[in-house]
Amino acid sequence: MSLTNAQKKQYRLIGHSLNPVVMIAGNGLTEAVLTEIDRALEDHELIKIRISITDRDIRNALIAEISKVMKSETVQVIGKVALFYRAALEPNPKLSNLLR
């Protein structure tokens, strides 16, 4: 499930106006955080996640782990904010950031 450059450009444009829906801090990826990310991806398809960890290597490892565990694509990373995409099984036009 690799995104084309045109898709990434379109998703970055949409993601620019989004606010982070999940924030990860010192406790890292707990089961509750993973559940919330999964719910948000299923509802919205395109989400921002803020990772408030100062070490860049740990932050990049968390981003890679989220992509792997959630079977999602990392669209963009700017500083401590990452934009993730995963197609919903049944997109809801009222919730999806792509269909609004």
Side-chain angles (χ1 to χ4, degrees):
M1 170 178 132
S2 183
L3 297 174
T4 65
N5 286 335
Q7 287 175 314
K8 284 186 178 185
K9 185 176 181 179
Q10 178 187 8
Y11 295 161
R12 284 194 309 261
L13 184 68
I14 295 168
H16 180 73
S17 62
L18 299 178
N19 292 322
V21 295
V22 178
M23 297 189 189
I24 301 172
N27 290 340
L29 288 177
T30 62
E31 194 62 38
V33 170
L34 289 173
T35 302
E36 183 61 23
I37 292 171
D38 186 48
R39 184 212 52 83
L41 281 169
E42 188 59 37
D43 287 347
H44 304 296
E45 296 182 284
L46 186 68
I47 64 168
K48 271 186 183 178
I49 298 177
R50 176 176 294 280
I51 303 171
S52 299
I53 296 174
T54 55
D55 187 0
R56 184 178 294 158
D57 295 331
I58 295 173
R59 195 167 53 236
N60 289 338
L62 282 175
I63 291 169
E65 188 175 348
I66 291 169
S67 288
K68 181 181 168 191
V69 171
M70 292 294 129
K71 296 179 177 85
S72 64
E73 289 286 326
T74 305
V75 177
Q76 183 179 37
V77 177
I78 297 178
K80 295 181 180 182
V81 179
L83 186 64
F84 292 94
Y85 167 76
R86 184 178 77 191
L89 298 175
E90 295 179 25
N92 184 344
K94 292 182 180 178
L95 294 176
S96 175
N97 289 321
L98 302 179
L99 300 177
R100 288 195 263 166

